[in-house]
Amino acid sequence: MSSLPYSSRVSSMRPLASDITHWYLADGTRVEILDFLDDHARYLLEIRPAAAFTGPMVVTAMTELITRCGPPYSTLTDNGLVFTTRLARFKGARGGFEKLLAAHRITQKNGRPGHPQTQGKIERFHQTLKRWLKARPLPNTIQELATLLTEFQTWYNTRRPHRSLGRRTPEQAYTALPKATPTSTADTTEWRSCTDTVDKNGKVTLRYAGKLRHLGIGRSHVGTPVLLLIHDRDVTVSNMNTSQIIAEFTIDPTKNYQPKKP
């Protein structure tokens, strides 16, 4: 380990760790908690509860996090299907989370099956989280749990010093060093992503060059949650429930309505 003080170390390429754990409501209902933890500073960037997290819900959370904080250099997760399809029975297709990371050139790292030590830091974080929750009455609703988790996030990030961080809080450590971002290349075209739901007219909207564009997906997909991966003018739209590509577009900047490619 470096003998330099924490503030003098060079920012590493450590990943954004994510995992799903569980807690209980007062009536005994088991619910899930999704969190995103900066592996370098132990800074808790996001924590939220739900009855159960699906792949599309994780994609939405990660998309919001990228919008708010920028894309990380890499991610570290287990092999749950909400994060990766690499151990799925049928090979080849990538899940929504994998497509989102690819669109932002974020390196994806997964722990070895049966080797939870790879996610050791976030597992220890969950121990801290559950000790904190145990000291408080069980919430009656998911919304009450969300309020508790927001309170915990503030306490964990700003009031709890870490010995491994030189007795600094995660917030102090997170803001002390520049963040490692995805590997840059000579390609300077735009890469981004967003989520939407196909409206009653079979369309989704996308802001391009300062204007809202209406993309014609088709009425057969009304109500479908979708992930839009945008590479400059090219847009690929996939079903967030199945990861199937349902439409592709090349944006015409002179028009608001964009028909899909045949």
Side-chain angles (χ1 to χ4, degrees), residues 6 67 90 122 125 166:
Y6 184 86
T67 300
F90 300 103
I122 203 163
F125 162 77

Side-chain angles (χ1 to χ4, degrees), residues 239-255:
N239 184 317
M240 286 177 61
N241 292 322
T242 66
S243 297
Q244 178 184 10
I245 294 175
I246 57 177
E248 293 179 302
F249 301 84
T250 296
I251 299 296
D252 181 346
T254 66
K255 298 179 180 179

